Each structure stands twice: as C-alpha cells, then as structure tokens.
Amino acid sequence: MSDWYKDAVFYEVPVKAFYDADGNGVGDFAGLTQKLDYIHDLGVDCLWILPMYPSPLKDDGYDIADFYGIHPSYGTVEDFQKFMDAAHDRGLRVIADLVMNHTSDQHPWFQAARADRRSPYRDYYVWSDTDQRYRDARIIFTDTEKSNWSWDPLAQQYYWHRFFSHQPDLNYDNPAVKSAMLDVMRFWLDRGLDGFRCDAVPYLIEREGTNGENLPESHAVLKEFRSVVEREYGGSRVLLAEANQWPEDVRPYFGDGDEFHMAFHFPLMPRLYMGVRREDRLPITDIFTHTPAIPPACQWCLFLRNHDELTLEMVTNEERDYMYFAYATDPQMKLNLGIRRRLAPLLDNDRRCIELMNGMLMSMPGTPIVYYGDEIGMGDNVALGDRNGVRTPMQWDGSWNGGFSSADPEALYSPLIRNPVYGYPAINVQSQKAFDHSLLAWMRRLIKVRQSTPVFGRGTMQFLYPANHRVLAYIRKLGNEAILVVNNLSSAAQAVELDLKEYKGSILVEMFGRNMFPRIGDLPYLLTLGPYQFFWFRIRKV
C-alpha cells in the first residue's frame, strides 16, 4: 500500500542512545539490530533514525560532514545495510533524518569553498562581503547566535547560516547543490531506506525583503525532490517535513499532494499540555480550528515529545509564559523558546496523566510518533545542557549501565539517569516486561487497539462541545465506522452529558475491554470519568 504511513505508528530513536553492541560506550547499528524484536513487539511500524552520518557532533549529528557515510561510533554502511534488512524482515520500515538546509563547516564542500573563491564549491554556500543582507530573517537560536552571518577569515567573506555558526547554509539557487542532494537521497534509498524526515525545510532559499521562510522558491525545490523520488522509487517512499510553523504556513508543504507526504503538527503539541494543566479543552479545540484541510494522500505527524526541546515558538507570548510557569519551574529547564524535558517528568510522573496524553496522541487525526524510552516513562537530566538531558541511554535493566553498554560508566557518551524516581534501577524494560500492568505493557495494548481500525489514521474528526469544558470529546469517522473518544482533562472525576442523538439506538462498545455500555437514547448521554480517564467507544448500530 503506497500510503502505508497513514496507518502507521512511528518510533523515534537515536542510534547512539539505544544499545551498544561493541562496548565502546556509544549505541550502534549492530546494537539497534539486536533490539529490533523489542521495537517490533511494541507494535510500531516504522523507525525514525536520527542523524547517523559522520559529524563533529557539535549539534548531535545535525552538522553533517559526509552525507555518504555512517559515523564511526555507530558502525559502517555495511552495518546499516544489515540493520535495514533485519528491520524489513520484521515488517518494520525505516526513515532517516536528511539535513537539507546546511552542512557542518567541516564538510569537504565547505572546506573547499572557503579555501578558494574559484572552487566550484564556493557557490555551494551563501557568501557576502557584508553582514547586512537579509536583515528581515529572524535568528532562530537566540540563546547562542547574535547574527545569521559569520565571518570566515580564510574566505575573507561572511557566510550565511540560519542555525549555529558551525552549520553554513547550502545555496539552493545553485543547480549543482540540488543535484548533489538528490544523489545523496538516491544513495540511501538504493539501500532500502523507506524515506526521509527532512530537517529545517522552510529555510532553503534566501530573498531580500523577506523573512527567508516558506518562500515559493523553496517550495519549488521541494516539489522537484518529491517528483524525482516518486519517479525513480515508485509510491512507497515517504517524505516527512520538519517545518516548525503555524498550520496554515505548513499547509503549502503538502502542495497539491505533490510536495511532502507528511508534516509535523508542531502547534498541537504544547496545547495538549496546556489543555491538561488548565483542565480546559479550549487550547486543543482552538488549534484544530486553525488547522486547514490537507490533500487526501497527505498526513499530519503528531508527537508528545521528541529529541528537541518542547518548542514554544508557535504559541502566543501569554501562552509561552503560562507554559514556563506550569512546566519549567527551574530556569535550567528552559532552552531557546522551549522546555527541555521528557514526557514523564513534564507530567510529574502521574501514570494516569501519561496514559491520557498518549491516548489523545493515538486517537487524533494523524500518525503518532513515540519517542524512545517514553514507553517506559524514562526521565531526563536538565543538568547535562543543550538538549542532551532527553537523549540519555535507553534503560534496559537494573544491571551495569542499565544494560545499555558493557563499557566503563565514564566511557558512555552520556551518563545514565540515576535518581531514585527515574533511575535505571527503578525504570527499565526488563522489570516492565515482567509486569502486566506496567506502562510498557499498557503502551503495547494502546498501540494494538489503535491499529485494530483504520479510523484513527484515516478518519474525520468532529468535536462535541458538552457543557463541561474539562472534557474533550470527539467522533472519528471513516465510512460506516464511527468511534467516540472522551477525555477527562482534569485531575478530578468529571461527569459529562454528550449529544449523541445522531446515533440514537446504537450501543457503545468500549474498545479496550470490549464491554458494552448503555444504548443511546433521546436524552443526552451521561458518562462519568475518573481523574485523567479516557474512553474509546465503537458506536455499534444494532
């Protein structure tokens, strides 16, 4: 099926953080291959691999020094191929990060460009004799960068970068750059990769007098890439856009179904947290009113947490202040315009609230992404700096190094979480596998129930607006099938009356226990929900 991604659940994993097979303190492809059965048993369909390429690792691999290799700590291209084959053998698909916007300043292209103005690589980047061009482009990393231009003493010119100064932007006005990046895509697709999560796509092209984001010229480049992938690899490969923008600005990245297959819905994510903390559905229902329709073959990607900070770029100043007040009491928890924390600590390790958030993630329109370790409730370490606190080693068991590596603890790429609440002796895969009511067991069940019907991945969503604003309710519909989802956003029990007269005579079948609830009649349907409880009901006609 060419639109397989619509029914999928994705699992995001940094290779370095999952499992260390060779004992050097860094996770690798051989280790990830050994743990594929765990990922398969979780019930997910597709792995999203964070940057795996040779890199100085100043930005955790998003500063790529060679698009055609594997970082030596993670293995070789042959190791990657073995991993790909093993994943496909288990029915798992794999997409990988492709950083299209920039390279590392250590990339041979940039080194050649800065050394010689006559080099063909000079025009692979954006140069200027002055740092006063493109003044309308905002600075994204406000914590560290004072300008989007940096002076290069060897080149005797300024070079343009939308992110860190060690990540010079590529010049997509140069056809040779487009050609080179298409060759990179072909290299990995030829090895069986099922697609790319394309990083930072709004910033490909610069134009004077604009903010340098979402420009028509950038869309033209992306459409060209999509058409090449479609033409040369058929319809089964997927392109996922990382565009941290408002939904109406992300909408053009789908084109007419001829640009990206998928795009992240960034603004929904903070509003899920806001709705739960305020015990009010308004932030959630409101963002959907600002979410435009997308082409039939396209799909939103939804997530609760990922490898970056919980971004607050796409909220108002008042909402940002509220989120900081509610979720980042320690100044160390803030980074850029966001909060660098994992799911469980954000929710005070409240199991009911963690379940509710995952229930909403899995039942809203789009393809959900689970961040590695969140399925067992891993914690974070904000003292590690940058975003490293949410990128600590996977906690497999309570033994040496949490079962992640046989190396000396000092040799690990990152220290493990050791505190009494989230430390690996308390939170690990082995202990949760042995316990039928663990978070891991519950997550497996949640994913299985979601995948029992295509309604969640493909259906429409209609909000109900009961008088009790602490309850978020919606109906997901596809063909003749309808599912009612009811979420209690409150930490206290709630009663709610729902207008279901359209379904009079039907009965509600709860999807986890398959128990039948009373028939829908003429009166509003009364439900009571415990703190943070949610229900998924099939609406069955009798």
PDB file of all heavy atoms in Angstrom, residues 6 25 38 46 50 57 71 99 129 131 198 258 271 278-279 289 368 409 417 428 452 464 482 494 498 528:
ATOM      1  N   LYS A   6      -0.195   6.289   6.691  1.00  0.00           N
ATOM      2  CA  LYS A   6      -1.431   6.782   7.310  1.00  0.00           C
ATOM      3  C   LYS A   6      -1.883   5.899   8.472  1.00  0.00           C
ATOM      4  O   LYS A   6      -2.513   6.373   9.410  1.00  0.00           O
ATOM      5  CB  LYS A   6      -2.556   6.868   6.274  1.00  0.00           C
ATOM      6  CG  LYS A   6      -2.373   7.998   5.295  1.00  0.00           C
ATOM      7  CD  LYS A   6      -3.671   8.335   4.610  1.00  0.00           C
ATOM      8  CE  LYS A   6      -3.773   9.827   4.369  1.00  0.00           C
ATOM      9  NZ  LYS A   6      -5.117  10.251   4.027  1.00  0.00           N
ATOM     10  N   GLY A  25      30.778   2.387  24.582  1.00  0.00           N
ATOM     11  CA  GLY A  25      30.054   3.434  25.300  1.00  0.00           C
ATOM     12  C   GLY A  25      29.056   4.206  24.460  1.00  0.00           C
ATOM     13  O   GLY A  25      28.373   5.098  24.961  1.00  0.00           O
ATOM     14  N   TYR A  38      12.410  -6.055  20.196  1.00  0.00           N
ATOM     15  CA  TYR A  38      11.737  -5.222  21.209  1.00  0.00           C
ATOM     16  C   TYR A  38      10.850  -4.184  20.532  1.00  0.00           C
ATOM     17  O   TYR A  38       9.686  -3.965  20.919  1.00  0.00           O
ATOM     18  CB  TYR A  38      12.778  -4.538  22.098  1.00  0.00           C
ATOM     19  CG  TYR A  38      12.207  -3.427  22.947  1.00  0.00           C
ATOM     20  CD1 TYR A  38      11.525  -3.714  24.125  1.00  0.00           C
ATOM     21  CD2 TYR A  38      12.328  -2.091  22.559  1.00  0.00           C
ATOM     22  CE1 TYR A  38      10.979  -2.693  24.905  1.00  0.00           C
ATOM     23  CE2 TYR A  38      11.797  -1.069  23.331  1.00  0.00           C
ATOM     24  CZ  TYR A  38      11.121  -1.373  24.496  1.00  0.00           C
ATOM     25  OH  TYR A  38      10.577  -0.359  25.257  1.00  0.00           O
ATOM     26  N   CYS A  46       7.240   1.808  12.011  1.00  0.00           N
ATOM     27  CA  CYS A  46       8.324   2.499  11.298  1.00  0.00           C
ATOM     28  C   CYS A  46       9.254   3.159  12.295  1.00  0.00           C
ATOM     29  O   CYS A  46       8.796   3.793  13.258  1.00  0.00           O
ATOM     30  CB  CYS A  46       7.728   3.554  10.363  1.00  0.00           C
ATOM     31  SG  CYS A  46       8.957   4.463   9.387  1.00  0.00           S
ATOM     32  N   LEU A  50      17.621   9.169  13.928  1.00  0.00           N
ATOM     33  CA  LEU A  50      18.240  10.490  13.957  1.00  0.00           C
ATOM     34  C   LEU A  50      19.567  10.458  13.190  1.00  0.00           C
ATOM     35  O   LEU A  50      20.050   9.389  12.836  1.00  0.00           O
ATOM     36  CB  LEU A  50      18.426  10.955  15.397  1.00  0.00           C
ATOM     37  CG  LEU A  50      17.220  11.734  15.949  1.00  0.00           C
ATOM     38  CD1 LEU A  50      15.951  10.919  15.943  1.00  0.00           C
ATOM     39  CD2 LEU A  50      17.496  12.260  17.344  1.00  0.00           C
ATOM     40  N   LEU A  57      29.696  16.333  15.593  1.00  0.00           N
ATOM     41  CA  LEU A  57      28.729  16.186  16.699  1.00  0.00           C
ATOM     42  C   LEU A  57      28.648  17.439  17.576  1.00  0.00           C
ATOM     43  O   LEU A  57      28.417  17.353  18.773  1.00  0.00           O
ATOM     44  CB  LEU A  57      29.064  14.962  17.567  1.00  0.00           C
ATOM     45  CG  LEU A  57      29.043  13.588  16.851  1.00  0.00           C
ATOM     46  CD1 LEU A  57      29.344  12.469  17.847  1.00  0.00           C
ATOM     47  CD2 LEU A  57      27.697  13.343  16.165  1.00  0.00           C
ATOM     48  N   HIS A  71      28.562   7.449  10.915  1.00  0.00           N
ATOM     49  CA  HIS A  71      29.506   7.883  11.940  1.00  0.00           C
ATOM     50  C   HIS A  71      30.239   6.663  12.496  1.00  0.00           C
ATOM     51  O   HIS A  71      29.603   5.661  12.841  1.00  0.00           O
ATOM     52  CB  HIS A  71      28.773   8.616  13.061  1.00  0.00           C
ATOM     53  CG  HIS A  71      29.692   9.352  13.975  1.00  0.00           C
ATOM     54  ND1 HIS A  71      30.440   8.710  14.942  1.00  0.00           N
ATOM     55  CD2 HIS A  71      30.023  10.674  14.061  1.00  0.00           C
ATOM     56  CE1 HIS A  71      31.175   9.603  15.579  1.00  0.00           C
ATOM     57  NE2 HIS A  71      30.945  10.793  15.065  1.00  0.00           N
ATOM     58  N   VAL A  99      19.398  16.208   6.520  1.00  0.00           N
ATOM     59  CA  VAL A  99      19.555  17.636   6.805  1.00  0.00           C
ATOM     60  C   VAL A  99      19.825  18.330   5.482  1.00  0.00           C
ATOM     61  O   VAL A  99      20.934  18.287   4.959  1.00  0.00           O
ATOM     62  CB  VAL A  99      20.694  17.867   7.819  1.00  0.00           C
ATOM     63  CG1 VAL A  99      20.796  19.347   8.163  1.00  0.00           C
ATOM     64  CG2 VAL A  99      20.451  17.046   9.078  1.00  0.00           C
ATOM     65  N   ASP A 129      29.967  40.085   1.233  1.00  0.00           N
ATOM     66  CA  ASP A 129      31.015  40.977   1.750  1.00  0.00           C
ATOM     67  C   ASP A 129      30.524  41.771   2.951  1.00  0.00           C
ATOM     68  O   ASP A 129      31.309  42.438   3.614  1.00  0.00           O
ATOM     69  CB  ASP A 129      31.473  41.943   0.650  1.00  0.00           C
ATOM     70  CG  ASP A 129      32.206  41.205  -0.471  1.00  0.00           C
ATOM     71  OD1 ASP A 129      32.930  40.229  -0.153  1.00  0.00           O
ATOM     72  OD2 ASP A 129      32.030  41.587  -1.642  1.00  0.00           O
ATOM     73  N   ASP A 131      27.504  41.896   6.379  1.00  0.00           N
ATOM     74  CA  ASP A 131      26.567  41.110   7.183  1.00  0.00           C
ATOM     75  C   ASP A 131      25.219  41.817   7.315  1.00  0.00           C
ATOM     76  O   ASP A 131      24.448  41.552   8.247  1.00  0.00           O
ATOM     77  CB  ASP A 131      27.151  40.825   8.577  1.00  0.00           C
ATOM     78  CG  ASP A 131      27.439  42.100   9.359  1.00  0.00           C
ATOM     79  OD1 ASP A 131      27.209  43.207   8.817  1.00  0.00           O
ATOM     80  OD2 ASP A 131      27.898  41.985  10.510  1.00  0.00           O
ATOM     81  N   CYS A 198      12.837  15.266   6.558  1.00  0.00           N
ATOM     82  CA  CYS A 198      13.672  16.335   6.012  1.00  0.00           C
ATOM     83  C   CYS A 198      13.708  17.499   6.993  1.00  0.00           C
ATOM     84  O   CYS A 198      12.673  18.087   7.323  1.00  0.00           O
ATOM     85  CB  CYS A 198      13.138  16.778   4.657  1.00  0.00           C
ATOM     86  SG  CYS A 198      13.147  15.435   3.447  1.00  0.00           S
ATOM     87  N   ASP A 258       1.770  16.940  -4.000  1.00  0.00           N
ATOM     88  CA  ASP A 258       2.960  16.730  -4.842  1.00  0.00           C
ATOM     89  C   ASP A 258       4.224  17.284  -4.181  1.00  0.00           C
ATOM     90  O   ASP A 258       5.239  17.495  -4.838  1.00  0.00           O
ATOM     91  CB  ASP A 258       2.765  17.379  -6.217  1.00  0.00           C
ATOM     92  CG  ASP A 258       2.532  18.880  -6.148  1.00  0.00           C
ATOM     93  OD1 ASP A 258       2.342  19.410  -5.025  1.00  0.00           O
ATOM     94  OD2 ASP A 258       2.518  19.533  -7.209  1.00  0.00           O
ATOM     95  N   ARG A 271      -0.225  22.604  23.111  1.00  0.00           N
ATOM     96  CA  ARG A 271      -1.607  22.849  23.532  1.00  0.00           C
ATOM     97  C   ARG A 271      -2.244  21.625  24.187  1.00  0.00           C
ATOM     98  O   ARG A 271      -3.208  21.751  24.938  1.00  0.00           O
ATOM     99  CB  ARG A 271      -2.424  23.355  22.344  1.00  0.00           C
ATOM    100  CG  ARG A 271      -2.065  24.795  22.030  1.00  0.00           C
ATOM    101  CD  ARG A 271      -2.611  25.300  20.716  1.00  0.00           C
ATOM    102  NE  ARG A 271      -2.236  26.717  20.524  1.00  0.00           N
ATOM    103  CZ  ARG A 271      -1.067  27.142  20.079  1.00  0.00           C
ATOM    104  NH1 ARG A 271      -0.138  26.250  19.762  1.00  0.00           N
ATOM    105  NH2 ARG A 271      -0.805  28.420  19.954  1.00  0.00           N
ATOM    106  N   ARG A 278      -4.491  23.324  32.357  1.00  0.00           N
ATOM    107  CA  ARG A 278      -5.589  24.256  32.617  1.00  0.00           C
ATOM    108  C   ARG A 278      -6.908  23.529  32.887  1.00  0.00           C
ATOM    109  O   ARG A 278      -7.894  24.156  33.256  1.00  0.00           O
ATOM    110  CB  ARG A 278      -5.784  25.183  31.413  1.00  0.00           C
ATOM    111  CG  ARG A 278      -4.722  26.241  31.272  1.00  0.00           C
ATOM    112  CD  ARG A 278      -5.023  27.126  30.075  1.00  0.00           C
ATOM    113  NE  ARG A 278      -4.085  28.237  29.974  1.00  0.00           N
ATOM    114  CZ  ARG A 278      -4.002  29.061  28.936  1.00  0.00           C
ATOM    115  NH1 ARG A 278      -4.812  28.885  27.896  1.00  0.00           N
ATOM    116  NH2 ARG A 278      -3.138  30.037  28.919  1.00  0.00           N
ATOM    117  N   GLU A 279      -6.917  22.216  32.615  1.00  0.00           N
ATOM    118  CA  GLU A 279      -8.145  21.414  32.721  1.00  0.00           C
ATOM    119  C   GLU A 279      -9.245  22.035  31.857  1.00  0.00           C
ATOM    120  O   GLU A 279     -10.385  22.206  32.270  1.00  0.00           O
ATOM    121  CB  GLU A 279      -8.592  21.272  34.182  1.00  0.00           C
ATOM    122  CG  GLU A 279      -7.526  20.638  35.067  1.00  0.00           C
ATOM    123  CD  GLU A 279      -8.031  20.163  36.414  1.00  0.00           C
ATOM    124  OE1 GLU A 279      -9.209  20.451  36.749  1.00  0.00           O
ATOM    125  OE2 GLU A 279      -7.268  19.489  37.135  1.00  0.00           O
ATOM    126  N   THR A 289      -9.254  24.430  14.875  1.00  0.00           N
ATOM    127  CA  THR A 289      -9.993  25.370  14.013  1.00  0.00           C
ATOM    128  C   THR A 289      -9.037  26.140  13.117  1.00  0.00           C
ATOM    129  O   THR A 289      -9.443  26.683  12.098  1.00  0.00           O
ATOM    130  CB  THR A 289     -10.833  26.366  14.841  1.00  0.00           C
ATOM    131  OG1 THR A 289      -9.947  27.203  15.597  1.00  0.00           O
ATOM    132  CG2 THR A 289     -11.797  25.650  15.775  1.00  0.00           C
ATOM    133  N   PRO A 368       0.953   9.012  14.849  1.00  0.00           N
ATOM    134  CA  PRO A 368       1.647   9.316  16.095  1.00  0.00           C
ATOM    135  C   PRO A 368       3.098   8.846  16.080  1.00  0.00           C
ATOM    136  O   PRO A 368       3.436   7.838  15.449  1.00  0.00           O
ATOM    137  CB  PRO A 368       0.843   8.551  17.146  1.00  0.00           C
ATOM    138  CG  PRO A 368       0.204   7.428  16.399  1.00  0.00           C
ATOM    139  CD  PRO A 368       0.048   7.861  14.970  1.00  0.00           C
ATOM    140  N   PRO A 409      31.444   3.116  33.038  1.00  0.00           N
ATOM    141  CA  PRO A 409      30.459   4.211  33.039  1.00  0.00           C
ATOM    142  C   PRO A 409      31.033   5.534  32.538  1.00  0.00           C
ATOM    143  O   PRO A 409      30.339   6.314  31.881  1.00  0.00           O
ATOM    144  CB  PRO A 409      30.034   4.304  34.509  1.00  0.00           C
ATOM    145  CG  PRO A 409      30.259   2.927  35.053  1.00  0.00           C
ATOM    146  CD  PRO A 409      31.459   2.387  34.323  1.00  0.00           C
ATOM    147  N   ILE A 417      20.487   8.103  33.737  1.00  0.00           N
ATOM    148  CA  ILE A 417      19.657   8.683  34.798  1.00  0.00           C
ATOM    149  C   ILE A 417      19.803   7.797  36.033  1.00  0.00           C
ATOM    150  O   ILE A 417      19.653   6.570  35.948  1.00  0.00           O
ATOM    151  CB  ILE A 417      18.176   8.743  34.368  1.00  0.00           C
ATOM    152  CG1 ILE A 417      18.020   9.464  33.024  1.00  0.00           C
ATOM    153  CG2 ILE A 417      17.323   9.407  35.449  1.00  0.00           C
ATOM    154  CD1 ILE A 417      18.312  10.929  33.036  1.00  0.00           C
ATOM    155  N   ASN A 428      13.012   0.449  33.926  1.00  0.00           N
ATOM    156  CA  ASN A 428      13.740  -0.266  32.875  1.00  0.00           C
ATOM    157  C   ASN A 428      12.839  -1.261  32.169  1.00  0.00           C
ATOM    158  O   ASN A 428      11.767  -1.626  32.674  1.00  0.00           O
ATOM    159  CB  ASN A 428      14.999  -0.942  33.434  1.00  0.00           C
ATOM    160  CG  ASN A 428      14.696  -2.018  34.445  1.00  0.00           C
ATOM    161  OD1 ASN A 428      14.142  -3.059  34.097  1.00  0.00           O
ATOM    162  ND2 ASN A 428      15.062  -1.788  35.705  1.00  0.00           N
ATOM    163  N   SER A 452      -6.249  -1.611  15.419  1.00  0.00           N
ATOM    164  CA  SER A 452      -7.348  -2.529  15.102  1.00  0.00           C
ATOM    165  C   SER A 452      -8.340  -1.914  14.135  1.00  0.00           C
ATOM    166  O   SER A 452      -9.244  -2.586  13.651  1.00  0.00           O
ATOM    167  CB  SER A 452      -8.081  -2.944  16.390  1.00  0.00           C
ATOM    168  OG  SER A 452      -8.767  -1.824  16.949  1.00  0.00           O
ATOM    169  N   LEU A 464     -17.305  17.316  19.876  1.00  0.00           N
ATOM    170  CA  LEU A 464     -18.538  17.554  20.610  1.00  0.00           C
ATOM    171  C   LEU A 464     -18.228  18.662  21.619  1.00  0.00           C
ATOM    172  O   LEU A 464     -17.095  18.784  22.085  1.00  0.00           O
ATOM    173  CB  LEU A 464     -18.997  16.290  21.331  1.00  0.00           C
ATOM    174  CG  LEU A 464     -19.197  15.046  20.438  1.00  0.00           C
ATOM    175  CD1 LEU A 464     -19.605  13.843  21.278  1.00  0.00           C
ATOM    176  CD2 LEU A 464     -20.245  15.315  19.362  1.00  0.00           C
ATOM    177  N   ALA A 482     -17.712   4.493  13.183  1.00  0.00           N
ATOM    178  CA  ALA A 482     -17.600   5.701  13.995  1.00  0.00           C
ATOM    179  C   ALA A 482     -17.081   5.324  15.380  1.00  0.00           C
ATOM    180  O   ALA A 482     -17.500   4.311  15.954  1.00  0.00           O
ATOM    181  CB  ALA A 482     -18.948   6.404  14.109  1.00  0.00           C
ATOM    182  N   GLN A 494     -15.067  13.614  36.696  1.00  0.00           N
ATOM    183  CA  GLN A 494     -15.985  14.511  35.996  1.00  0.00           C
ATOM    184  C   GLN A 494     -17.175  13.719  35.448  1.00  0.00           C
ATOM    185  O   GLN A 494     -17.033  12.552  35.067  1.00  0.00           O
ATOM    186  CB  GLN A 494     -15.276  15.203  34.821  1.00  0.00           C
ATOM    187  CG  GLN A 494     -14.099  16.073  35.188  1.00  0.00           C
ATOM    188  CD  GLN A 494     -14.483  17.319  35.953  1.00  0.00           C
ATOM    189  OE1 GLN A 494     -15.533  17.906  35.705  1.00  0.00           O
ATOM    190  NE2 GLN A 494     -13.641  17.720  36.895  1.00  0.00           N
ATOM    191  N   LEU A 498     -23.298  14.084  26.733  1.00  0.00           N
ATOM    192  CA  LEU A 498     -22.920  14.227  25.330  1.00  0.00           C
ATOM    193  C   LEU A 498     -24.138  14.136  24.438  1.00  0.00           C
ATOM    194  O   LEU A 498     -25.011  13.272  24.627  1.00  0.00           O
ATOM    195  CB  LEU A 498     -21.927  13.116  24.948  1.00  0.00           C
ATOM    196  CG  LEU A 498     -20.611  13.092  25.735  1.00  0.00           C
ATOM    197  CD1 LEU A 498     -19.825  11.834  25.390  1.00  0.00           C
ATOM    198  CD2 LEU A 498     -19.784  14.339  25.473  1.00  0.00           C
ATOM    199  N   THR A 528     -19.488   9.192  33.371  1.00  0.00           N
ATOM    200  CA  THR A 528     -18.612   9.693  34.430  1.00  0.00           C
ATOM    201  C   THR A 528     -17.214   9.164  34.178  1.00  0.00           C
ATOM    202  O   THR A 528     -17.034   8.019  33.766  1.00  0.00           O
ATOM    203  CB  THR A 528     -19.104   9.257  35.824  1.00  0.00           C
ATOM    204  OG1 THR A 528     -19.239   7.835  35.848  1.00  0.00           O
ATOM    205  CG2 THR A 528     -20.438   9.900  36.148  1.00  0.00           C
TER     206      THR A 528
END
